[in-house]
Amino acid sequence: MFGRRKDITHHLSEASPELIQFYEDRARGGCGLIFTEFTRVDETSGACNPNQLCIVTRKHIRSVQRMAEQVHRHGARIFA
């Protein structure tokens, strides 16, 4: 499964509570594999969207980790 509303990523490029809930709902509904679409790993380049998910700082990583934990609770896998 992939595809999401691009306006629910936190303005600091973290996984927002709304984004985490979005993916958790899909996992709970039976989706087995979730792709988060584009995620940047560089603070200065690679941003295609102002709210693009990012995994650069510890704060970013913690938010994505929370997202993965919520998805895994329902037996699904997530790929960033």
Side-chain angles (χ1 to χ4, degrees), residues 12-13 40-47 52 54-57 60:
L12 298 174
S13 299
R40 65 186 162 111
V41 295
D42 184 330
E43 194 73 70
T44 59
S45 65
Q52 183 177 344
C54 183
I55 51 174
V56 175
T57 68
H60 292 133

Side-chain angles (χ1 to χ4, degrees), residues 4-23:
R4 66 172 173 86
R5 291 178 30 214
K6 306 223 176 356
D7 61 334
I8 59 176
T9 302
H10 191 274
H11 72 280
L12 298 174
S13 299
E14 299 168 25
S16 67
E18 295 84 5
L19 183 65
I20 293 170
Q21 186 67 53
F22 176 86
Y23 287 128

Side-chain angles (χ1 to χ4, degrees), residues 9-80:
T9 302
H10 191 274
H11 72 280
L12 298 174
S13 299
E14 299 168 25
S16 67
E18 295 84 5
L19 183 65
I20 293 170
Q21 186 67 53
F22 176 86
Y23 287 128
E24 182 180 11
D25 289 347
R26 271 94 200 130
R28 184 182 305 113
C31 183
L33 178 61
I34 296 170
F35 291 89
T36 63
E37 295 187 23
F38 54 101
T39 303
R40 65 186 162 111
V41 295
D42 184 330
E43 194 73 70
T44 59
S45 65
C48 299
N49 181 308
N51 294 338
Q52 183 177 344
L53 193 60
C54 183
I55 51 174
V56 175
T57 68
R58 290 184 193 275
K59 192 171 184 180
H60 292 133
I61 294 167
R62 282 192 300 270
S63 73
V64 172
Q65 182 178 10
R66 282 193 304 276
M67 183 171 63
E69 289 168 353
Q70 293 302 103
V71 167
H72 292 163
R73 286 181 47 212
H74 302 285
R77 298 292 174 247
I78 190 164
F79 183 85

